Amino acid sequence: MRLPKVEDIEARIPRPEHFDESRRGLPTTSRVGRALGIAFGICFLTGMWSHFQYTDPAWLPIGPDPAWLYRWSQGLHIISGTAAVPLVLVKLWSVYPHLFARPPGKEDKRALVLEALSRLSIGVLVASSLFMLASGTLNISGWYPWDFSFRRTHEAVAWIAIGSLVLHIGVKLPLIRDGLDASIDDSDNHNDGDDDGDTDDSAGHTSRRALLAATGAASGLAVLLTAGQTVPFLRQVSVFGVRDGEGPQDLPINRTARGAGAVAGATSPDFTLTIMSGEQSVTLTLDDLRALPQTTHTLPIACVEGWSRSAEWTGVPVRDLIAMVGADPKSTVQFRSTQTRGAFGSSELPSQFTEDSRTLLALRLNGEVLSIDHGFPCRLIAPNRPGVLQTKWVNKMEVVT
Ligand SMILES: Nc1nc2c(c(=O)[nH]1)N[C@H]1C(S)=C(S)[C@@H](COP(=O)(O)O)O[C@H]1N2
Ligand SMILES: [Mo]
């Protein structure tokens, strides 16, 4: 048996010019790339914004106004990320023949090194982009099949993705310009040599137009199927919006009381709410809470996973409650819950939210007593906060500063 020689194997590996370029080519790649760049840009900025809203950095005091801000920024984040999925797939398809380009000859060391660096950077860009879209999509669907912290990893890899994207755009700028300047009707391909002129020209531009239209449609459809979890009139069509299902009281449920191990504590006849500030503390029963002056506000719940919904909340302003232990309205307050399992059982409310009279310890939702899954007997609701910090089943409030 004769072993195949290196040259035989090499001869069997396709070359870029062996691929049909009638729908690919620079005009396609640059146009899809531009759309993808815009989607990634929006996704990155809104993602960082979400991160800041969550971590509340001292240098960027984010306040309760406008109440709908997080709802919009996070809605945009999920929408731009979803739109990017078909765009990434088409972009990769349009350039993958370049994978088969042969490296420059060994003699030219400089060219070899440059080629290696360029491939490495594109590898990092592709890997990090796919990681962002895949982890984000799994997160929206409420599935966390990993051990690492989603938020920290999604943020760290976002920096890698955006960094390598900026580098990529910088390196390719002349090509991108050419591609965008070139008419979509141009059949100017890398493999002009083996095309036979005119007939391919027309085939080239019709199929490129069709490809771009299909890509746009796929992206639009993906958005439509997801956006309904935030945009009410799209709710009917949003089959991807897993959390758009009607929860009790016309509001989706993120985690049920049973899932959080909060049922026993929340439904106990001995339930009390303890409010503490330094040495001072008061303990209120549910009847005590109900007897306090109540106010009603319409505020959205906006989950980081993309759904949001406006609702009417009735309860006691948090600032009134901490006044009972002599605390200033401008205080940071720690909320704890009867939850016994899993994350997000507590949260810290920065002072600018505490002092806002719309920030409530809510007892009622859309005119009814809170259902157990929405946080009975009482939950935190504040304007312009990520949903994950709107703690349910609250039984302790502690003024920390
Ligand atoms: N104690 C507790 N509160 C919680 C959670 C939780 O897991 N435990 N989930 C949060 C998340 S992620 C969201 S989006 C909102 C959703 O509120 P809802 O389930 O009443 O719609 O509750 C928040 N409050
Ligand atoms: Mo959430």
Side-chain angles (χ1 to χ4, degrees):
M1 195 185 91
R2 191 176 75 91
L3 283 176
K5 288 208 284 284
V6 174
E7 298 83 76
D8 297 340
I9 298 173
E10 208 273 340
R12 290 174 154 230
I13 300 176
R15 290 174 173 273
E17 54 272 25
H18 295 156
F19 292 85
D20 172 15
E21 287 273 295
S22 59
R23 272 164 299 182
R24 293 193 179 89
L26 208 47
T28 303
T29 305
S30 55
R31 282 166 175 80
V32 177
R34 176 176 53 187
L36 186 57
I38 294 171
F40 268 18
I42 296 175
C43 213
F44 177 75
L45 293 176
T46 49
M48 284 300 145
W49 183 257
S50 176
H51 191 67
F52 293 145
Q53 287 231 280
Y54 189 84
T55 51
D56 193 43
W59 56 268
L60 183 68
I62 298 172
D65 282 304
W68 45 262
L69 181 60
Y70 188 75
R71 177 177 207 189
W72 276 85
S73 68
Q74 196 59 13
L76 260 180
H77 184 67
I78 299 317
I79 287 172
S80 53
T82 308
V85 174
L87 296 175
V88 154
L89 296 177
V90 175
K91 180 78 166 47
L92 289 177
W93 168 85
S94 84
V95 292
Y96 92 92
H98 295 306
L99 264 184
F100 299 100
R102 301 301 190 261
K106 285 201 198 79
E107 317 74 55
D108 192 348
K109 289 260 156 39
R110 203 178 109 87
L112 256 182
V113 170
L114 281 179
E115 176 69 15
L117 282 178
S118 147
R119 289 201 171 212
L120 185 71
S121 74
I122 290 178
V124 171
L125 173 60
V126 172
S128 56
S129 303
L130 292 181
F131 175 83
M132 293 310 285
L133 295 179
S135 60
T137 307
L138 290 178
N139 183 262
I140 302 174
S141 55
W143 190 34
Y144 294 72
W146 45 66
D147 285 335
F148 52 79
S149 155
F150 169 80
R151 189 177 58 83
R152 285 205 210 100
T153 317
H154 201 68
E155 192 225 353
V157 181
W159 283 106
I160 300 176
I162 208 74
S164 50
L165 177 62
V166 168
L167 182 71
H168 182 65
I169 294 175
V171 170
K172 301 281 182 186
L173 204 55
L175 263 185
I176 298 173
R177 285 225 181 89
D178 287 353
L180 292 178
D181 286 346
S183 150
I184 195 73
D185 302 336
D186 282 357
S187 71
D188 177 26
N189 300 325
H190 300 287
N191 54 342
D192 263 347
D194 32 59
D195 282 346
D196 51 358
D198 294 334
T199 42
D200 269 9
D201 270 13
S202 55
H205 80 248
T206 5
S207 43
R208 257 193 217 138
R209 277 186 194 284
L211 175 83
L212 288 182
T215 307
S219 210
L221 191 65
V223 165
L224 207 62
L225 297 183
T226 322
Q229 44 187 350
T230 292
V231 186
F233 69 87
L234 288 177
R235 216 173 279 161
Q236 305 303 328
V237 295
S238 273
V239 290
F240 288 179
V242 278
R243 233 63 54 73
D244 65 341
E246 302 302 316
Q249 301 172 327
D250 200 30
L251 186 77
I253 298 163
N254 187 270
R255 183 184 285 143
T256 61
R258 191 191 288 259
V263 177
T267 55
S268 159
D270 302 327
F271 173 87
T272 53
L273 169 75
T274 307
I275 309 170
M276 290 165 286
S277 175
E279 300 289 277
Q280 294 214 57
S281 87
V282 293
T283 297
L284 304 173
T285 65
L286 188 50
D287 285 336
D288 294 338
L289 268 174
R290 285 176 174 152
L292 292 171
Q294 314 277 312
T295 46
T296 297
H297 289 288
T298 301
L299 291 172
I301 287 247
C303 181
V304 48
E305 290 159 8
W307 62 265
S308 68
R309 192 76 64 90
S310 200
E312 196 188 85
W313 304 91
T314 304
V316 188
V318 166
R319 49 185 289 168
D320 295 357
L321 288 169
I322 60 168
M324 297 173 81
V325 287
D328 190 78
K330 221 172 164 41
S331 300
T332 304
V333 182
Q334 176 86 37
F335 287 77
R336 291 184 206 286
S337 66
T338 63
Q339 175 167 338
T340 55
R341 265 203 298 277
F344 313 129
S346 67
S347 68
E348 198 171 270
L349 189 73
S351 57
Q352 65 271 31
F353 295 92
T354 308
E355 69 171 345
D356 191 296
S357 60
R358 293 166 299 176
T359 298
L360 304 178
L361 190 70
L363 303 172
R364 300 175 76 84
L365 163 58
N366 288 333
E368 295 166 17
V369 171
L370 271 181
S371 74
I372 177 86
D373 288 330
H374 286 313
F376 176 87
C378 54
R379 72 154 327 147
L380 173 61
I381 179 83
N384 190 29
R385 292 236 83 195
V388 57
L389 302 175
Q390 311 270 33
T391 307
K392 308 193 272 193
W393 314 295
V394 171
N395 67 347
K396 283 199 177 66
M397 291 168 52
E398 187 175 0
V399 176
V400 283
T401 48

